[in-house]
Amino acid sequence: AMNAACRAVTFKEEKKLLDIVGTGGDGADTINISTASVVLAAACGATVAKAGNRSVSSACGSADVLETLGVKVDLNPTQVVECVEECGIAFLFAPINHPAMKAVAPIRKQLGLRTCFNILGPMVNAASAQRAVIGVFHEELLELIAATLKEVGRVDHAVVIHGVGLDEISPLGPASIVEIRNTAPAGEKKTYTTRTFKFDPLSVNIQRCKVEDLKGGDPAQNAKEFEMVLEGGEYTTNAKKDAIVLNAGVGCYVYGLTETIEEGCALARKTLVEGKAADVLKNWLKVSNEIAARG
């Protein structure tokens, strides 16, 4: 119903799009891992349509941190298309793409708790992103979300992840993953294969951390952390950078830039060190503001 009622983002020619998004609601108040991860994934070569909203059950939502950084988050569907065409990444702001959500937003904010909308949000990308990395706050939701994605039939390749209490993969420990992949020829009804497995960051030489090492804060603090994790240059161990590499690496795999998650993580780290993610963020800020100014 939410997909049917949304203000869709429609491209003249179909684009392969990636979204890396979490349900939120894990109570950890980390930095904005999935949001920084899409910037890195875009730098790796993916075209990104990132869905998100302001904070409801956390200290800082994706829209909050991007707005603090200077990105124009409230673009309409036509402007989102322009942004993707010009810089390869755009933000889909829930209140604009899903007007019905405006009625419940104040209530959700007052409650300050996770609700069914935490679960719905990641599955209603207004640009119908066919490639998705979806993090969930509880392991019991993995099969439910995967089954729902198959039933809706919009994605071609997606993974649903829960990682040691977080709604994303992280250096905290092994992540539980359900992967679905469409095997039907183009134009035919989607037929999915399903794989359930564990992925341990140690397999890509990312060392364990504590949840405190991933902590963020208010939008101002998270904006500083955001710029820090996307800075280029070699580094040894940095839990926040490692978390971004892991999630962007999974995104690269799902998008089809690499054959394995391990290769995706290697590509993400190389791209981060080269400084390309910081360049993408800078360009996104510039382009989104130019588009908003044109009206």
Side-chain angles (χ1 to χ4, degrees), residues 18-26 29-43 46 48-53 58 60-66 69 89-91 118 121-122 125 131-136 159 161 166-171 214 222 225-226 229-230 239-252 277 280-281 284:
L18 172 70
D19 192 4
I20 302 176
V21 61
T23 57
D26 58 22
D29 286 332
T30 64
I31 62 167
N32 298 90
I33 294 173
S34 63
T35 311
S37 298
V38 295
V39 177
L40 179 52
V48 170
K50 164 67 178 161
N53 206 344
S58 65
C60 177
S62 52
D64 301 315
V65 72
L66 289 173
L69 287 162
I89 184 169
F91 187 73
N118 288 80
N125 184 292
R131 311 295 171 117
V133 179
I134 298 177
V136 296
V159 292
I161 295 174
L166 299 186
D167 65 338
E168 48 225 340
I169 188 169
S170 79
L214 301 173
N222 275 24
E225 298 279 6
F226 202 101
V229 296
L230 295 181
K240 291 171 181 173
K241 282 179 177 280
D242 288 340
I244 305 308
V245 165
L246 286 167
N247 286 273
V250 175
C252 288
V280 167
L281 178 61
W284 185 13

Side-chain angles (χ1 to χ4, degrees), residues 14-113:
E14 186 177 353
K15 282 190 177 296
K16 183 167 73 169
L17 299 169
L18 172 70
D19 192 4
I20 302 176
V21 61
T23 57
D26 58 22
D29 286 332
T30 64
I31 62 167
N32 298 90
I33 294 173
S34 63
T35 311
S37 298
V38 295
V39 177
L40 179 52
C44 291
T47 303
V48 170
K50 164 67 178 161
N53 206 344
R54 298 198 186 281
S55 164
V56 175
S57 56
S58 65
C60 177
S62 52
D64 301 315
V65 72
L66 289 173
E67 194 170 59
T68 303
L69 287 162
V71 175
K72 285 291 183 183
V73 299
D74 55 350
L75 301 182
N76 65 41
T78 303
Q79 292 172 321
V80 167
V81 170
E82 291 179 52
C83 198
V84 169
E85 298 283 7
E86 291 185 35
C87 65
I89 184 169
F91 187 73
L92 310 177
F93 189 35
I96 287 179
N97 297 111
H98 300 282
M101 293 291 288
K102 287 183 180 179
V104 298
I107 300 167
R108 293 183 68 199
K109 187 67 179 175
Q110 281 184 330
L111 287 171
L113 303 169

Side-chain angles (χ1 to χ4, degrees), residues 135-214:
V136 296
F137 59 75
H138 201 294
E139 193 165 354
E140 290 179 359
L141 290 171
L142 289 170
E143 295 287 350
L144 174 64
I145 299 293
T148 304
L149 290 171
K150 288 189 283 186
E151 182 70 24
V152 173
R154 296 173 86 181
V155 298
D156 286 319
H157 191 184
V159 292
V160 188
I161 295 174
H162 176 75
V164 196
L166 299 186
D167 65 338
E168 48 225 340
I169 188 169
S170 79
L172 287 172
S176 301
I177 301 177
V178 177
E179 176 182 12
I180 64 170
R181 190 194 293 260
N182 174 37
T183 57
E188 294 188 14
K189 183 179 179 182
K190 288 181 170 59
T191 304
Y192 293 99
T193 58
T194 304
R195 178 170 73 115
T196 301
F197 61 101
K198 296 270 190 183
F199 179 81
D200 194 328
L202 292 176
S203 68
V204 290
N205 298 315
I206 287 179
Q207 301 306 305
R208 294 281 190 264
C209 75
K210 298 175 181 177
V211 70
E212 291 78 17
D213 299 325
L214 301 173

